[in-house]
Amino acid sequence: MRKMLVLGLLALLLVPAAGVHAADKLYFYTENFPPYNMSASGRAFEHKGDDIDGLCTEMVKAIMSHTELEYIIKLRNWDYGYNRVLDKPNHGIFCTTYTEDRAPQFKWVGPLTRNLWTIFAPPGSDLEMDDLEDAKGMTIGGYRGDVMTDYLLKRGYTVSQLDSDDLNPKRLALEQIDLWIADRLAGPYFASQQDVEGLVPVYSFNKTELYLAMNQNTPEQVIQELNKGLETIRQNGMYEAIEDKYGL
């Protein structure tokens, strides 16, 4: 009986403590938002990290290469990934704009990089904008759940929203919408993948930082290890090399 008790106690000691992260695989979600995150083959969804490319994706992979954490990256639409991360510990989404509204919803790793919000007009447009207010009364293309779309809606702008940004460059070129809000770097890149060239950037504003946002119930030890991995690639030059590759 005593021997069984000792064996039982040893077994308990060998059981990992709750919340120990090494046994828990991390799941990262991202969307098609070139050149920050994108399918390497142009597909709308990807199940494996090897099939996902882009500036932020390379940053996340570089960070993970300096941790002992296991992970999976999946490419989905933004709403799907965002809501899944809100519900599940050890799940994260990138690149996510840090805002005051979002701050308490996640634990944050970053910044991974930065972007500049830009209003684009159709090819050949001679529109001039000195202030965002100049867009009042115009229909601006955006997509649901996007921080730029939410920003405009809260300030009374007219935003025509889709489930993703895929069709907005074409809608703008066909003048189905008056303007399109996108990232200054990503907008032209994304439009070119939709065979749309020559969009005119008419106004840029609100330089923001982009992060890996993790579910609030992800163990703090995991967050610390991720941020430590980020600091490592900043120090060893990998961070700068990735930004240089994408023209930042």
Side-chain angles (χ1 to χ4, degrees):
M1 187 72 180
R2 183 176 178 182
K3 183 178 180 181
M4 290 178 64
L5 181 61
V6 170
L7 289 173
L9 289 171
L10 286 172
L12 286 173
L13 290 172
L14 292 173
V15 174
V20 171
H21 65 80
D24 296 326
K25 188 173 291 186
L26 303 182
Y27 291 82
F28 299 138
Y29 288 89
T30 191
E31 62 171 339
N32 264 317
F33 183 52
Y36 296 96
N37 350 286
M38 53 193 169
S39 164
S41 59
R43 291 190 292 258
F45 302 102
E46 295 291 358
H47 302 284
K48 298 178 181 178
D50 289 344
D51 298 321
I52 305 169
D53 205 353
L55 193 163
C56 285
T57 306
E58 289 196 34
M59 288 293 188
V60 170
K61 290 178 179 179
I63 290 168
M64 298 308 293
S65 72
H66 289 84
T67 75
E68 296 183 357
L69 301 167
E70 293 185 39
Y71 71 102
I72 291 175
I73 301 178
K74 294 179 181 289
L75 188 143
R76 297 289 189 270
N77 67 47
W78 181 259
D79 280 349
Y80 177 89
Y82 191 86
N83 290 323
R84 198 164 180 83
V85 171
L86 285 174
D87 291 339
K88 292 183 174 290
N90 295 321
H91 283 55
I93 188 166
F94 67 88
C95 279
T96 308
T97 303
Y98 182 95
T99 66
E100 290 184 6
D101 290 341
R102 285 178 174 174
Q105 294 179 297
F106 300 99
K107 292 181 178 178
W108 299 87
V109 179
L112 302 180
T113 189
R114 60 202 179 280
N115 70 0
L116 185 64
W117 298 359
T118 299
I119 301 291
F120 290 91
S125 174
D126 58 2
L127 175 69
E128 294 183 2
M129 288 180 56
D130 298 317
D131 190 272
L132 188 59
E133 287 284 326
D134 294 338
K136 280 287 177 72
M138 299 184 187
T139 300
I140 306 169
Y143 67 103
R144 295 180 183 88
D146 176 56
V147 66
M148 292 181 284
T149 295
D150 291 343
Y151 180 93
L152 293 177
L153 288 171
K154 286 181 178 179
R155 287 157 179 79
Y157 291 87
T158 302
V159 185
S160 176
Q161 302 177 68
L162 300 178
D163 288 332
S164 73
D165 228 10
D166 292 1
L167 296 178
N168 278 324
K170 186 73 72 175
R171 293 169 77 205
L172 182 61
L174 294 173
E175 298 187 4
Q176 295 173 352
I177 51 178
D178 300 312
L179 302 167
W180 174 42
I181 188 166
D183 172 68
R184 182 67 182 85
L185 178 64
Y189 190 102
F190 190 73
S192 69
Q193 290 193 322
Q194 309 301 317
D195 297 318
V196 176
E197 302 288 347
L199 298 185
V200 181
V202 292
Y203 186 72
S204 294
F205 66 107
N206 203 26
K207 184 176 180 179
T208 58
E209 294 181 325
L210 303 175
Y211 286 73
L212 166 62
M214 299 295 297
N215 177 276
Q216 269 284 11
N217 293 319
T218 301
E220 190 59 35
Q221 188 177 356
V222 172
I223 306 302
Q224 291 174 2
E225 189 162 352
L226 292 171
N227 275 310
K228 184 178 179 182
L230 174 59
E231 183 58 30
T232 299
I233 68 170
R234 284 184 180 277
Q235 292 176 356
N236 67 18
M238 290 182 70
Y239 183 97
E240 184 177 2
I242 294 170
E243 284 209 324
D244 286 348
K245 176 180 175 180
Y246 288 91
L248 287 178

PDB file of all heavy atoms in Angstrom, residues 181-200:
ATOM      1  N   ILE A 181     -10.014  52.807 -48.953  1.00  0.00           N
ATOM      2  CA  ILE A 181      -9.037  52.979 -47.882  1.00  0.00           C
ATOM      3  C   ILE A 181      -8.226  51.700 -47.742  1.00  0.00           C
ATOM      4  O   ILE A 181      -8.772  50.594 -47.674  1.00  0.00           O
ATOM      5  CB  ILE A 181      -9.697  53.382 -46.548  1.00  0.00           C
ATOM      6  CG1 ILE A 181      -8.606  53.729 -45.517  1.00  0.00           C
ATOM      7  CG2 ILE A 181     -10.662  52.307 -46.040  1.00  0.00           C
ATOM      8  CD1 ILE A 181      -9.114  54.454 -44.285  1.00  0.00           C
ATOM      9  N   ALA A 182      -6.907  51.866 -47.733  1.00  0.00           N
ATOM     10  CA  ALA A 182      -6.011  50.716 -47.635  1.00  0.00           C
ATOM     11  C   ALA A 182      -4.677  51.196 -47.068  1.00  0.00           C
ATOM     12  O   ALA A 182      -4.472  52.386 -46.836  1.00  0.00           O
ATOM     13  CB  ALA A 182      -5.809  50.078 -49.010  1.00  0.00           C
ATOM     14  N   ASP A 183      -3.792  50.268 -46.864  1.00  0.00           N
ATOM     15  CA  ASP A 183      -2.444  50.601 -46.415  1.00  0.00           C
ATOM     16  C   ASP A 183      -1.628  51.166 -47.579  1.00  0.00           C
ATOM     17  O   ASP A 183      -1.780  50.723 -48.726  1.00  0.00           O
ATOM     18  CB  ASP A 183      -1.783  49.340 -45.855  1.00  0.00           C
ATOM     19  CG  ASP A 183      -0.323  49.546 -45.556  1.00  0.00           C
ATOM     20  OD1 ASP A 183      -0.020  50.304 -44.630  1.00  0.00           O
ATOM     21  OD2 ASP A 183       0.519  48.960 -46.273  1.00  0.00           O
ATOM     22  N   ARG A 184      -0.764  52.132 -47.283  1.00  0.00           N
ATOM     23  CA  ARG A 184       0.013  52.794 -48.334  1.00  0.00           C
ATOM     24  C   ARG A 184       0.900  51.818 -49.083  1.00  0.00           C
ATOM     25  O   ARG A 184       1.072  51.922 -50.309  1.00  0.00           O
ATOM     26  CB  ARG A 184       0.867  53.916 -47.722  1.00  0.00           C
ATOM     27  CG  ARG A 184       1.683  54.702 -48.755  1.00  0.00           C
ATOM     28  CD  ARG A 184       0.775  55.503 -49.660  1.00  0.00           C
ATOM     29  NE  ARG A 184       1.516  56.228 -50.691  1.00  0.00           N
ATOM     30  CZ  ARG A 184       1.892  55.723 -51.850  1.00  0.00           C
ATOM     31  NH1 ARG A 184       1.609  54.451 -52.132  1.00  0.00           N
ATOM     32  NH2 ARG A 184       2.536  56.444 -52.739  1.00  0.00           N
ATOM     33  N   LEU A 185       1.496  50.873 -48.410  1.00  0.00           N
ATOM     34  CA  LEU A 185       2.362  49.884 -49.048  1.00  0.00           C
ATOM     35  C   LEU A 185       1.548  48.748 -49.651  1.00  0.00           C
ATOM     36  O   LEU A 185       1.798  48.305 -50.769  1.00  0.00           O
ATOM     37  CB  LEU A 185       3.364  49.335 -48.019  1.00  0.00           C
ATOM     38  CG  LEU A 185       4.329  48.243 -48.474  1.00  0.00           C
ATOM     39  CD1 LEU A 185       5.257  48.789 -49.551  1.00  0.00           C
ATOM     40  CD2 LEU A 185       5.142  47.733 -47.286  1.00  0.00           C
ATOM     41  N   ALA A 186       0.541  48.293 -48.905  1.00  0.00           N
ATOM     42  CA  ALA A 186      -0.219  47.118 -49.341  1.00  0.00           C
ATOM     43  C   ALA A 186      -1.207  47.426 -50.452  1.00  0.00           C
ATOM     44  O   ALA A 186      -1.474  46.567 -51.296  1.00  0.00           O
ATOM     45  CB  ALA A 186      -0.974  46.531 -48.148  1.00  0.00           C
ATOM     46  N   GLY A 187      -1.757  48.650 -50.471  1.00  0.00           N
ATOM     47  CA  GLY A 187      -2.804  48.976 -51.431  1.00  0.00           C
ATOM     48  C   GLY A 187      -2.406  48.713 -52.879  1.00  0.00           C
ATOM     49  O   GLY A 187      -3.060  47.915 -53.570  1.00  0.00           O
ATOM     50  N   PRO A 188      -1.355  49.357 -53.390  1.00  0.00           N
ATOM     51  CA  PRO A 188      -0.954  49.128 -54.779  1.00  0.00           C
ATOM     52  C   PRO A 188      -0.562  47.676 -55.056  1.00  0.00           C
ATOM     53  O   PRO A 188      -0.846  47.144 -56.125  1.00  0.00           O
ATOM     54  CB  PRO A 188       0.257  50.058 -54.954  1.00  0.00           C
ATOM     55  CG  PRO A 188       0.076  51.112 -53.912  1.00  0.00           C
ATOM     56  CD  PRO A 188      -0.564  50.410 -52.747  1.00  0.00           C
ATOM     57  N   TYR A 189       0.078  47.035 -54.082  1.00  0.00           N
ATOM     58  CA  TYR A 189       0.489  45.641 -54.243  1.00  0.00           C
ATOM     59  C   TYR A 189      -0.740  44.753 -54.388  1.00  0.00           C
ATOM     60  O   TYR A 189      -0.825  43.903 -55.273  1.00  0.00           O
ATOM     61  CB  TYR A 189       1.327  45.227 -53.030  1.00  0.00           C
ATOM     62  CG  TYR A 189       2.019  43.899 -53.160  1.00  0.00           C
ATOM     63  CD1 TYR A 189       3.380  43.837 -53.459  1.00  0.00           C
ATOM     64  CD2 TYR A 189       1.337  42.708 -52.968  1.00  0.00           C
ATOM     65  CE1 TYR A 189       4.031  42.616 -53.565  1.00  0.00           C
ATOM     66  CE2 TYR A 189       1.980  41.476 -53.083  1.00  0.00           C
ATOM     67  CZ  TYR A 189       3.320  41.443 -53.378  1.00  0.00           C
ATOM     68  OH  TYR A 189       3.957  40.240 -53.492  1.00  0.00           O
ATOM     69  N   PHE A 190      -1.700  44.973 -53.509  1.00  0.00           N
ATOM     70  CA  PHE A 190      -2.926  44.181 -53.516  1.00  0.00           C
ATOM     71  C   PHE A 190      -3.707  44.423 -54.802  1.00  0.00           C
ATOM     72  O   PHE A 190      -4.228  43.496 -55.423  1.00  0.00           O
ATOM     73  CB  PHE A 190      -3.776  44.539 -52.300  1.00  0.00           C
ATOM     74  CG  PHE A 190      -4.936  43.628 -52.060  1.00  0.00           C
ATOM     75  CD1 PHE A 190      -4.743  42.357 -51.567  1.00  0.00           C
ATOM     76  CD2 PHE A 190      -6.226  44.045 -52.328  1.00  0.00           C
ATOM     77  CE1 PHE A 190      -5.817  41.512 -51.346  1.00  0.00           C
ATOM     78  CE2 PHE A 190      -7.301  43.209 -52.111  1.00  0.00           C
ATOM     79  CZ  PHE A 190      -7.094  41.937 -51.619  1.00  0.00           C
ATOM     80  N   ALA A 191      -3.793  45.686 -55.219  1.00  0.00           N
ATOM     81  CA  ALA A 191      -4.524  46.021 -56.444  1.00  0.00           C
ATOM     82  C   ALA A 191      -3.893  45.360 -57.666  1.00  0.00           C
ATOM     83  O   ALA A 191      -4.602  44.870 -58.559  1.00  0.00           O
ATOM     84  CB  ALA A 191      -4.557  47.541 -56.621  1.00  0.00           C
ATOM     85  N   SER A 192      -2.560  45.330 -57.728  1.00  0.00           N
ATOM     86  CA  SER A 192      -1.882  44.728 -58.877  1.00  0.00           C
ATOM     87  C   SER A 192      -2.196  43.244 -58.993  1.00  0.00           C
ATOM     88  O   SER A 192      -2.251  42.697 -60.106  1.00  0.00           O
ATOM     89  CB  SER A 192      -0.364  44.948 -58.782  1.00  0.00           C
ATOM     90  OG  SER A 192       0.197  44.190 -57.723  1.00  0.00           O
ATOM     91  N   GLN A 193      -2.405  42.585 -57.848  1.00  0.00           N
ATOM     92  CA  GLN A 193      -2.771  41.171 -57.883  1.00  0.00           C
ATOM     93  C   GLN A 193      -4.184  40.975 -58.420  1.00  0.00           C
ATOM     94  O   GLN A 193      -4.551  39.873 -58.820  1.00  0.00           O
ATOM     95  CB  GLN A 193      -2.650  40.568 -56.481  1.00  0.00           C
ATOM     96  CG  GLN A 193      -1.208  40.433 -56.003  1.00  0.00           C
ATOM     97  CD  GLN A 193      -1.098  39.558 -54.777  1.00  0.00           C
ATOM     98  OE1 GLN A 193      -1.945  39.582 -53.887  1.00  0.00           O
ATOM     99  NE2 GLN A 193      -0.039  38.767 -54.719  1.00  0.00           N
ATOM    100  N   GLN A 194      -4.974  42.032 -58.412  1.00  0.00           N
ATOM    101  CA  GLN A 194      -6.324  41.990 -58.979  1.00  0.00           C
ATOM    102  C   GLN A 194      -6.344  42.606 -60.384  1.00  0.00           C
ATOM    103  O   GLN A 194      -7.400  42.956 -60.904  1.00  0.00           O
ATOM    104  CB  GLN A 194      -7.296  42.754 -58.064  1.00  0.00           C
ATOM    105  CG  GLN A 194      -7.247  42.351 -56.603  1.00  0.00           C
ATOM    106  CD  GLN A 194      -7.567  40.886 -56.386  1.00  0.00           C
ATOM    107  OE1 GLN A 194      -8.483  40.360 -56.993  1.00  0.00           O
ATOM    108  NE2 GLN A 194      -6.809  40.234 -55.505  1.00  0.00           N
ATOM    109  N   ASP A 195      -5.143  42.744 -60.970  1.00  0.00           N
ATOM    110  CA  ASP A 195      -4.991  43.324 -62.322  1.00  0.00           C
ATOM    111  C   ASP A 195      -5.495  44.756 -62.401  1.00  0.00           C
ATOM    112  O   ASP A 195      -6.053  45.184 -63.424  1.00  0.00           O
ATOM    113  CB  ASP A 195      -5.702  42.455 -63.372  1.00  0.00           C
ATOM    114  CG  ASP A 195      -5.098  41.054 -63.462  1.00  0.00           C
ATOM    115  OD1 ASP A 195      -3.863  40.960 -63.425  1.00  0.00           O
ATOM    116  OD2 ASP A 195      -5.863  40.079 -63.562  1.00  0.00           O
ATOM    117  N   VAL A 196      -5.313  45.501 -61.319  1.00  0.00           N
ATOM    118  CA  VAL A 196      -5.681  46.917 -61.289  1.00  0.00           C
ATOM    119  C   VAL A 196      -4.403  47.724 -61.055  1.00  0.00           C
ATOM    120  O   VAL A 196      -3.704  47.519 -60.062  1.00  0.00           O
ATOM    121  CB  VAL A 196      -6.711  47.214 -60.174  1.00  0.00           C
ATOM    122  CG1 VAL A 196      -7.000  48.705 -60.108  1.00  0.00           C
ATOM    123  CG2 VAL A 196      -7.993  46.430 -60.409  1.00  0.00           C
ATOM    124  N   GLU A 197      -4.098  48.607 -61.960  1.00  0.00           N
ATOM    125  CA  GLU A 197      -2.895  49.432 -61.863  1.00  0.00           C
ATOM    126  C   GLU A 197      -3.274  50.912 -61.865  1.00  0.00           C
ATOM    127  O   GLU A 197      -4.339  51.303 -62.347  1.00  0.00           O
ATOM    128  CB  GLU A 197      -1.963  49.146 -63.049  1.00  0.00           C
ATOM    129  CG  GLU A 197      -1.530  47.691 -63.185  1.00  0.00           C
ATOM    130  CD  GLU A 197      -0.543  47.242 -62.122  1.00  0.00           C
ATOM    131  OE1 GLU A 197      -0.002  48.130 -61.419  1.00  0.00           O
ATOM    132  OE2 GLU A 197      -0.300  46.033 -62.009  1.00  0.00           O
ATOM    133  N   GLY A 198      -2.392  51.740 -61.330  1.00  0.00           N
ATOM    134  CA  GLY A 198      -2.529  53.173 -61.453  1.00  0.00           C
ATOM    135  C   GLY A 198      -3.453  53.845 -60.466  1.00  0.00           C
ATOM    136  O   GLY A 198      -3.834  55.010 -60.662  1.00  0.00           O
ATOM    137  N   LEU A 199      -3.825  53.168 -59.374  1.00  0.00           N
ATOM    138  CA  LEU A 199      -4.638  53.827 -58.358  1.00  0.00           C
ATOM    139  C   LEU A 199      -3.864  55.018 -57.787  1.00  0.00           C
ATOM    140  O   LEU A 199      -2.642  54.960 -57.619  1.00  0.00           O
ATOM    141  CB  LEU A 199      -5.009  52.858 -57.245  1.00  0.00           C
ATOM    142  CG  LEU A 199      -5.854  51.644 -57.651  1.00  0.00           C
ATOM    143  CD1 LEU A 199      -6.247  50.836 -56.416  1.00  0.00           C
ATOM    144  CD2 LEU A 199      -7.101  52.065 -58.415  1.00  0.00           C
ATOM    145  N   VAL A 200      -4.583  56.080 -57.475  1.00  0.00           N
ATOM    146  CA  VAL A 200      -3.933  57.331 -57.063  1.00  0.00           C
ATOM    147  C   VAL A 200      -4.048  57.527 -55.552  1.00  0.00           C
ATOM    148  O   VAL A 200      -5.160  57.670 -55.031  1.00  0.00           O
ATOM    149  CB  VAL A 200      -4.570  58.537 -57.781  1.00  0.00           C
ATOM    150  CG1 VAL A 200      -3.862  59.832 -57.374  1.00  0.00           C
ATOM    151  CG2 VAL A 200      -4.527  58.353 -59.296  1.00  0.00           C
TER     152      VAL A 200
END
